[in-house]
Amino acid sequence: MSGRPSASRRSILRGAALTPVAGLGLAACGPDGGGASAPATPAAPVDLGAESEIPRGGAKLYADHHVVVSRDAHGALKAFSTICTHAGCAINRLRDTTLICPCHGSEFDAATGSVVQSPATQPLAELPVRAKGGRIIAGPGA
Ligand code: FES
């Protein structure tokens, strides 16, 4: 009998100790990059992955970094922020080379950053991008 309250308390403490870890995991996977802060594009160059993942005429969305990278028919790369210019939502969907905002349905061309469908009226912000050693590096200073 006397052991039960102690065991029960240990369980509670163990559960409390795990809670912050679970919370971090959820924040990292959240649509806005975590917590109360607004989503943001990289503030420094980031390695997005293998250059070979983006075919000529195609695009790839790096939702975790809020960046889309496209490649034109000649092989040149372009990168844009995927923070919607309408009200700041993080765009989480790419259909071929069209980005679709989940909040109010704005659409953008991943090859040019231009608006394809309102309500957004301003193009996506372009980011520096380059290929280095077979990797895609994007963000300020890339
Ligand atoms: Fe993207 Fe409104 S925030 S359409």
Side-chain angles (χ1 to χ4, degrees):
M1 285 274 211
S2 64
R4 281 181 186 234
S6 175
S8 167
R9 177 190 257 178
R10 261 198 309 270
S11 297
I12 290 168
L13 290 175
R14 195 177 300 134
L18 290 175
T19 299
V21 174
L24 282 173
L26 286 174
C29 296
D32 64 1
S37 60
T41 50
V46 291
D47 182 335
L48 295 174
E51 184 187 4
S52 59
E53 292 179 343
I54 308 174
R56 289 178 185 232
K60 184 171 172 63
L61 173 62
Y62 300 92
D64 289 350
H65 294 287
H66 305 300
V67 174
V68 66
V69 179
S70 61
R71 185 191 299 275
D72 71 14
H74 305 289
L77 296 169
K78 286 226 174 204
F80 298 93
S81 161
T82 54
I83 305 303
C84 184
T85 58
H86 176 237
C89 285
I91 297 171
N92 61 2
R93 190 164 159 221
L94 177 68
R95 185 186 61 220
D96 297 324
T97 56
T98 301
L99 291 156
I100 304 161
C101 182
C103 290
H104 313 101
S106 288
E107 296 184 4
F108 300 87
D109 184 341
T112 64
S114 61
V115 176
V116 176
Q117 175 71 49
S118 62
T121 58
Q122 299 298 309
L124 296 173
E126 188 165 357
L127 298 169
V129 63
R130 66 188 165 99
K132 182 181 179 191
R135 310 290 293 177
I136 303 264
I137 312 293

